[in-house]
């Protein structure tokens, strides 16, 4: 409040608090701040993307099973939700290709890192194929990655966005890294789509919650977030070694 109260107490940029967008761009490395919009939680962004891209009877493909609230958002827009079986390393690729050929869906919604509810992480090979198949069919991918940073062991897989940046919107959130009530989530994607989302957002709520975004920005700049992440990972990784968790 002392340092940036003049910005965070006012209406402002519909894309979110600029210092936070700069911070996120620096963290992700493969995006610029023009390719990032920060909003009131990632579900709000998923709802905007759905309003923009899913018209009644359009098809939306999801992993089977998938996150219930995402399915509710697609249903509410009148989308026809089609599931593809999830295997240990991601969706069944043959079924995925067949479904995309058959329905030419508008969206494929995926949680490629530590999937909710199954915990599955999609393999690198499948990520690359999924990105190619979706691009060939003109299906926009929404890659929802709130758990990506909560990796307890092993190497990070590349994002789907890294394979086809023009055809993937990656959304993420501080809900699991700071706390859910802060309601700060973001989307990264090609500038023209981010601009469309920003226009819709401005017409809906003028400015997202800049006070929360200012708090998130401070927690990053003061090093608290990094420390909290280390703490979350080390305490949960300890539990992970307990024999009752398989
Ligand atoms: C896959 C997934 N996406 C989104 C969310 C909600 O994110 P937010 O709180 O940023 O709206 C959750 C919360 O459980 C989730 O599991």
């Amino acid at each position: 409040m002392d340092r940036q109260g003049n910005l965070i107490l006012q209406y402002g940029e519909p894309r979110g608090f600029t210092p936070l967008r700069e911070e996120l761009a620096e963290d992700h490395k493969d995006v610029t701040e023009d390719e990032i919009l920060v909003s009131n939680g990632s579900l709000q962004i998923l709802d905007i993307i759905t309003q923009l891209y899913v018209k009644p009877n359009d098809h939306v493909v999801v992993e089977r099973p998938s996150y219930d609230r995402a399915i509710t958002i697609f249903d509410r827009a009148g989308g026809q939700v089609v599931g593809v079986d999830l295997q240990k390393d991601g969706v069944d690729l043959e079924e995925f290709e067949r479904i995309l050929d058959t329905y030419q869906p508008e969206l494929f919604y995926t949680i490629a890192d530590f999937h909710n509810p199954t915990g599955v992480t999609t393999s690198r090979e499948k990520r690359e194929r999924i990105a190619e198949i979706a691009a060939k069919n003109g299906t926009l991918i929404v890659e929802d990655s709130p758990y990506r940073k909560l990796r307890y062991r092993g190497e990070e897989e590349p994002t789907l966005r890294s394979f086809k940046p023009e055809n993937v919107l990656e959304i993420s959130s501080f809900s699991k890294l700071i706390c859910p009530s802060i309601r700060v989530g973001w989307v990264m994607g090609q500038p023209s789509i981010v601009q469309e989302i920003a226009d819709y957002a401005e017409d809906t709520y003028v400015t997202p919650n800049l006070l929360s975004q200012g708090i998130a920005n401070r927690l990053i700049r003061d090093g608290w977030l990094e420390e909290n992440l280390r703490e979350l990972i080390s305490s949960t990784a300890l539990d992970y070694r307990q024999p009752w968790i398989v």
Side-chain angles (χ1 to χ4, degrees):
M1 292 286 258
D2 281 348
R3 296 184 207 179
Q4 289 165 317
N6 58 333
L7 294 175
I8 61 178
L9 295 177
Q10 268 300 347
Y11 288 122
E13 169 60 58
R15 288 159 181 260
F17 190 45
T18 306
L20 178 60
R21 284 171 40 234
E22 287 167 356
E23 201 65 53
L24 290 169
E26 208 180 302
D27 183 48
H28 286 282
K29 297 190 173 60
D30 58 352
V31 280
T32 64
E33 59 171 280
D34 291 340
E35 294 164 314
I36 299 186
L37 172 140
V38 191
S39 183
N40 309 313
S42 60
L43 276 173
Q44 171 114 56
I45 296 172
L46 185 63
D47 189 47
I48 296 178
I49 294 168
T50 305
Q51 294 301 322
L52 288 172
Y53 289 102
V54 181
K55 302 290 166 250
N57 297 318
D58 281 351
H59 287 87
V60 178
V61 175
V62 299
E63 289 140 346
R64 184 167 50 219
S66 188
Y67 177 41
D68 57 346
R69 289 191 190 274
I71 296 173
T72 302
I73 286 175
F74 302 137
D75 260 349
R76 193 173 60 182
Q80 301 285 325
V81 180
V82 183
V84 184
D85 282 341
L86 191 56
Q87 301 170 327
K88 278 188 174 159
D89 58 349
V91 285
D92 177 336
L93 275 185
E94 272 179 31
E95 195 187 348
F96 181 70
E97 197 156 14
R98 199 169 51 246
I99 284 177
L100 262 63
D101 277 347
T102 310
Y103 297 109
Q104 302 287 302
E106 297 303 312
L107 289 187
F108 171 52
Y109 170 79
T110 176
I111 309 159
D113 292 287
F114 317 118
H115 178 268
N116 179 1
T118 64
V120 163
T121 290
T122 301
S123 67
R124 185 197 187 286
E125 294 70 30
K126 282 201 173 175
R127 288 172 193 241
E128 189 166 9
R129 280 296 294 143
I130 289 167
E132 282 168 7
I133 295 167
K136 191 183 83 189
N137 284 277
T139 299
L140 184 66
I141 296 179
V142 178
E143 178 177 15
D144 192 1
S145 58
Y147 305 105
R148 185 170 170 81
K149 280 188 181 267
L150 295 172
R151 170 174 281 282
Y152 307 139
R153 60 195 168 121
E155 292 292 306
E156 245 186 17
E157 301 292 352
T159 59
L160 277 96
R161 185 170 56 80
S162 67
F163 293 109
K164 293 278 176 200
E166 68 293 346
N167 197 51
V168 179
L169 294 173
E170 184 183 349
I171 58 182
S172 192
S173 166
F174 284 129
S175 287
K176 320 293 160 168
L177 309 180
I178 299 178
C179 61
S181 65
I182 198 164
R183 309 309 299 138
V184 178
W186 61 97
V187 59
M188 296 169 284
Q190 59 151 301
S192 63
I193 301 185
V194 171
Q195 183 59 51
E196 270 186 89
I197 297 172
D199 292 343
Y200 190 99
E202 186 170 14
D203 291 343
T204 308
Y205 51 67
V206 189
T207 300
N209 185 339
L210 296 181
L211 190 55
S212 278
Q213 295 188 17
I215 294 170
N217 188 49
R218 205 67 257 150
L219 292 176
I220 297 173
R221 298 228 164 160
D222 289 352
W224 181 92
L225 182 62
E226 212 181 299
E227 201 183 307
N228 192 48
L229 198 55
R230 263 201 307 274
E231 167 74 24
L232 285 173
I233 289 172
S234 63
S235 58
T236 318
L238 272 181
D239 286 349
Y240 195 82
R241 286 200 291 271
Q242 299 300 318
W244 58 85
I245 300 176
V246 288

